[in-house]
C-alpha cells in the first residue's frame, strides 16, 4: 500500500484501483479501507479511479498513542493532505458512517469536489456527540483496562473488529461538529439503510444541505454498505453531469 505524510508528519496509508475520474472514499470508525473494496471494484468498472485511505488510528495508517497526535478535526486535516499529495482538483468524495462525517468536514473546510456521497450518517451525529460516541468510549476503555468483556457487548464487537483501542479512543475525541450546512453547495447524496434506526436523521441531513438528495437502500447500518443498491445509487449519482 502506498503511504503519504500528513501535515504533522505521520504516515497514512491508502489504496487505489481503477482509472478515470478520482473518487476518494472514507471508511467508518473501527474499519479500514478494505470495507470499501466491494463497492469500489464496481465504481472502478464504471470509470472511476478509486482512492481509499485508512483513517489515522486505523488499519495500516499511523496509530500513535500520544494524545497530541489527535487534535480536533485531524481526520479532515489528513483528508486535505491526501488531496494535496495526489494533486487532485477535479474529483468526488464519499464516506460511510464516520467517514461521512469526514466528508462533511472536508466540505466545510473548503474542499470542492464535483459531487459528494454521505452514507450511513445522520444529522444528529454531524452536529454533536451522541450516545453512540459515549458507548464507544466506554467500550474502548473496557478493552484498554483489561476488564472482562461480555459476549455480544459493544466491547466484544470492538475486540472482534481488531484495531488499537488506545488510538481509536483518541480518534473519538477529534470530532468537530459541522454547523452552517447551508453553506455547503456541493451536490450531495445522503444514503441510509432502511433498517439503520440509529441514524434515522439522515433525511434531515439531506434536507439541511442546499443541494442534498436522499435515498434509502436495503440493510442495517452494518449491511447497507455492501448492498448492490447502495453501489448502484452511487454509480448513478456520480455519473450525472
Amino acid at each position: 500500500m502506498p503511504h503519504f505524510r500528513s501535515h504533522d508528519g505521520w504516515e497514512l496509508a491508502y489504496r487505489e484501483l481503477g482509472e478515470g475520474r478520482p473518487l476518494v472514499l472514507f471508511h467508518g470508525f473501527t474499519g479500514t479501507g478494505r470495507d470499501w473494496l466491494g463497492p469500489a471494484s464496481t465504481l472502478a468498472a464504471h470509470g472511476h479511479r478509486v482512492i481509499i485511505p485508512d483513517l489515522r488510528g486505523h488499519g495500516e495508517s499511523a496509530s500513535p498513542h500520544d494524545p497530541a497526535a489527535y487534535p480536533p478535526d485531524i481526520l479532515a486535516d489528513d483528508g486535505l493532505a491526501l488531496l494535496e499529495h495526489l494533486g487532485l482538483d477535479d474529483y468526488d468524495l464519499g464516506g460511510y458512517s464516520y467517514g461521512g462525517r469526514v466528508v462533511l468536514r472536508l466540505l466545510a473546510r473548503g474542499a470542492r469536489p464535483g459531487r459528494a456521497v454521505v452514507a450511513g450518517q445522520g444529522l444528529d451525529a454531524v452536529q454533536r456527540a451522541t450516545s453512540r460516541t459515549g458507548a464507544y468510549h466506554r467500550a474502548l476503555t473496557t478493552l484498554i483496562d483489561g476488564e472482562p468483556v461480555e459476549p455480544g457487548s459493544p466491547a466484544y464487537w470492538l475486540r472482534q473488529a481488531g484495531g488499537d483501542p488506545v488510538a481509536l479512543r483518541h480518534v473519538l475525541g477529534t470530532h468537530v461538529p459541522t454547523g452552517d450546512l447551508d453553506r455547503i453547495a456541493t451536490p450531495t447524496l445522503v444514503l441510509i439503510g432502511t433498517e439503520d434506526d440509529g441514524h434515522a436523521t439522515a433525511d434531515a441531513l439531506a434536507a439541511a444541505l442546499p443541494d442534498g438528495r436522499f435515498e434509502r437502500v436495503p440493510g442495517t447500518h452494518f449491511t447497507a454498505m455492501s448492498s448492490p443498491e447502495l453501489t448502484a445509487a452511487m454509480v448513478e449519482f456520480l455519473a450525472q453531469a
Side-chain angles (χ1 to χ4, degrees):
M1 289 176 62
H3 287 68
F4 71 100
R5 287 188 182 274
S6 194
H7 296 143
D8 61 355
W10 289 105
E11 288 201 351
L12 307 175
Y14 64 98
R15 298 168 174 82
E16 282 198 53
L17 63 158
E19 298 179 356
R21 180 175 175 80
L23 169 63
V24 184
L25 298 176
F26 297 92
H27 63 80
F29 185 66
T30 77
T32 73
R34 288 182 179 275
D35 299 341
W36 271 116
L37 288 180
S41 63
T42 301
L43 289 158
H46 283 81
H48 293 279
R49 171 193 174 194
V50 187
I51 300 147
I52 318 171
D54 282 355
L55 297 174
R56 179 179 300 228
H58 296 73
E60 299 299 318
S61 287
S63 299
H65 285 191
D66 182 357
Y70 300 89
D73 223 16
I74 189 61
L75 300 186
D77 290 342
D78 293 340
L80 292 171
L82 176 60
L83 298 177
E84 181 181 320
H85 169 76
L86 296 172
L88 301 183
D89 56 14
D90 189 16
Y91 60 92
D92 298 312
L93 293 176
Y96 193 87
S97 192
Y98 204 90
R101 293 193 204 179
V102 176
V103 169
L104 288 168
R105 290 305 306 153
L106 288 169
L107 297 175
R109 293 274 300 273
R112 292 294 176 265
R115 291 180 175 272
V117 177
V118 175
Q121 191 55 269
L123 181 63
D124 60 340
V126 168
Q127 293 185 322
R128 63 186 183 278
T130 68
S131 60
R132 295 188 296 276
T133 303
Y136 275 130
H137 193 280
R138 289 189 295 273
L140 289 167
T141 298
T142 295
L143 295 178
I144 293 167
D145 292 345
E147 297 176 6
V149 173
E150 293 291 331
S153 67
Y156 174 85
W157 291 115
L158 283 173
R159 187 170 65 185
Q160 294 295 106
D164 185 326
V166 174
L168 290 171
R169 190 171 67 176
H170 286 322
V171 169
L172 281 179
T174 69
H175 173 62
V176 172
T178 301
D180 298 327
L181 292 171
D182 57 341
R183 297 184 181 181
I184 296 176
T186 301
T188 302
L189 175 63
V190 178
L191 293 167
I192 196 72
T194 54
E195 300 173 70
D196 190 352
D197 298 332
H199 298 79
T201 56
D203 54 347
L205 173 59
L209 296 164
D211 199 356
R213 330 296 173 76
F214 178 67
E215 189 169 339
R216 297 184 186 276
V217 297
T220 66
H221 188 68
F222 301 101
T223 63
M225 184 179 184
S226 59
S227 71
E229 290 84 357
L230 181 139
T231 304
M234 291 181 66
V235 168
E236 180 180 0
F237 175 70
L238 294 172
Q240 296 173 19

